[in-house]
Amino acid sequence: PFVRLAIKLAFYVALCSIHNLHFPYQRWYLYGLVLFFVPLLFQTFRQYFGPRIRRRRDRGFNRGALWYAVLYDSIVCLTNLQNNLLMLAMCSAGLFYTVAIPILLLDIFYTSATLQRVAQAIIVPMKPLSVTLYVFLITALVYATLGYRNFDNQFVYDEVGAELEAYFEKDPVSCNSVLTCFELVLYKAMPSGDMSSVLDDVDRLGNKFTARMLFDLSFFIWVGILLFNVVTGLIVDTFSQLREESIAREDQLENECFVCGFTRPAYDDLGTEYNFDDHVHDEHDIWNYLFFIAYLNEKDVNEYNGVESYVSKMLRNQNLEWIPLRTSWRLETDHQFKKRMELQGVSEVTDLKNTFKAEMVAMKETIMNEVKNEIDELKATTKTLLKELHEGHLNHMNKHFGDFGGRGGRGSTTGLGHGNDDVEGTPDNERGGTDLHGRASGLGRASV
C-alpha cells in the first residue's frame, strides 16, 4: 500500500512542479496535499495494520494495530460519530472563523432520513460521477485548445469589461495560453453550458462565422444537454433505487424474523396463541444469539458442554445449520403444532398428487385431441387424393373412348354408302340403326 501512495504523491508533486514552472507558487499546492494525501495516508496505515492485528506465534492480538483499526473503522463507518466530530470541529473553528458557524445548520442531514437518502444518492454513484467529471475536464481542455488556436482574440473574461475596453480603445483582456483558456472555460462556460459566455460576439459576415457557430453549437449539445443530463440521471436513478431498497429493508425487518426467517403472516396463521412480535423479541431475540457467540469466544474450550461444542464447531466451519429455520423451541415442543404440520404435510402431498393427476389427465386429453385432429386431416387428405385420382382416370378413359368412337363412325358411314349403291330404297332409320350398331360394337370391343 505504501508503494501506491508514493506513486500518487510523486505524480502530484510532478503536476505541481510543472505548473510552478509557468506560474508562481499558489496555496492550492499545500491544500491539495492535505486534503487528498492525509486521508490516503490513514487509509494506507489501515490496510497495512489490518492483516497484522492477529499475531502468528502466540496467536494473540497486536493491541496497537487493533486499536488503530477500531478507531479508523469507527470514524469511517459510524455516521453518528462522524456527525459529532464534524460538529465539534466546526464549533472549534467558529471560535476563530465566523464563517464556520453557519455550517452547523447542516446538522439536519444527520437528523432527516430523507436528506440522508439525498446525500447517499450523490455518494453511492461517486465512481460514475467521477468519470463524468473527468469527461467534463477533458471537454473543457479540448474546447479551450480549439478555441485558443482558432478564436484566440475572441475570449473575454467579462462582457462589460470588454465593452469598456473597446470604448477606450484598449485590447480586451483575454487568455494568453491554453491553460488560462482552460480555466476560463471551466469557470464560466461549463456551469452555463454555453460557450458564448466566454467568447465575444462574432460578425455574421465574417470568415469564421460558420466555424464559430459549429463550435458553440457542439459545446451546447455535448455539455449543456448530454453531460448535465447524464449527471442528473445518475443521481435520480440512485435516489429511486435507494428509496426502494430502504422500503424493502424496513418491510423485511418488520415482517420477517431475522433468525429463522418466519414471516408475520405465516406465523400468525399458526393459531391465535402465536404472536409474531413475541416470537421476534422473546423467542428469537437477535441479541441473545450474539451474546451466546461472544460467550463461546470467551469461554474455555475445555469447559464446553455438548451443545456449546457443536455450535463452536459450526462457527469455525462457517456453517449456519445450528440456527433454527422456520421453527423454534416452542413450536418443536408443541404437540398440536407437530400434528398440524403432519396434517399439513399430508395435505400438501395429497394436493400435489391431485395436481399431478389433473395435469396428466389434461395432458392425455390434449394428446388425444391432437391425434384425432391429425387422423381427421389425414382422412380428408386421402379422400381428396382418391377423388382427384378417380377424376383423372375417368378423363383419360373418356378421351380414349372418344377417339375410338370417331374412327368407328367414319368406317360405318363408308359401309353404308356402299350399301346404298347396291340396295336402293333403304329407309334412313335402318341406315341410322346400322350406324348405331357399328358404334355400339366398337364401344363394346373397346371396353373388352
Side-chain angles (χ1 to χ4, degrees), residues 79-98:
T79 306
N80 294 329
L81 181 60
Q82 294 174 0
N83 181 26
N84 295 330
L85 292 177
L86 182 60
M87 294 298 105
L88 179 61
M90 291 298 103
C91 291
S92 302
L95 299 176
F96 306 94
Y97 303 99
T98 57

Side-chain angles (χ1 to χ4, degrees), residues 261-274:
F262 239 127
T263 59
R264 182 184 295 271
Y267 194 84
D268 292 339
D269 290 341
L270 297 177
T272 56
E273 65 274 11
Y274 296 101

Side-chain angles (χ1 to χ4, degrees), residues 288-352:
N288 291 336
Y289 284 85
L290 183 61
F291 294 153
F292 180 66
I293 295 174
Y295 166 76
L296 293 179
N297 291 332
E298 295 294 333
K299 188 176 182 179
D300 188 4
V301 180
N302 298 322
E303 298 179 359
Y304 282 169
N305 57 23
V307 176
E308 294 172 350
S309 300
Y310 170 75
V311 174
S312 178
K313 181 179 179 181
M314 287 290 194
L315 291 174
R316 288 196 302 270
N317 296 331
Q318 296 182 355
N319 192 342
L320 300 179
E321 293 182 358
W322 63 278
I323 297 178
L325 179 62
R326 298 176 186 263
T327 185
S328 65
W329 178 256
R330 178 185 178 185
L331 296 177
E332 292 292 336
T333 55
D334 190 353
H335 299 288
Q336 294 183 358
F337 172 75
K338 287 185 177 181
K339 185 176 180 180
R340 190 183 301 113
M341 294 305 295
E342 291 177 357
L343 295 176
Q344 183 178 358
V346 174
S347 177
E348 291 179 355
V349 172
T350 304
D351 295 339
L352 182 62

Side-chain angles (χ1 to χ4, degrees), residues 370-383:
E370 292 179 355
V371 171
K372 183 178 179 181
N373 293 332
E374 291 180 357
I375 292 175
D376 294 338
E377 292 178 358
L378 183 60
K379 287 182 178 181
T381 304
T382 305
K383 185 177 180 181

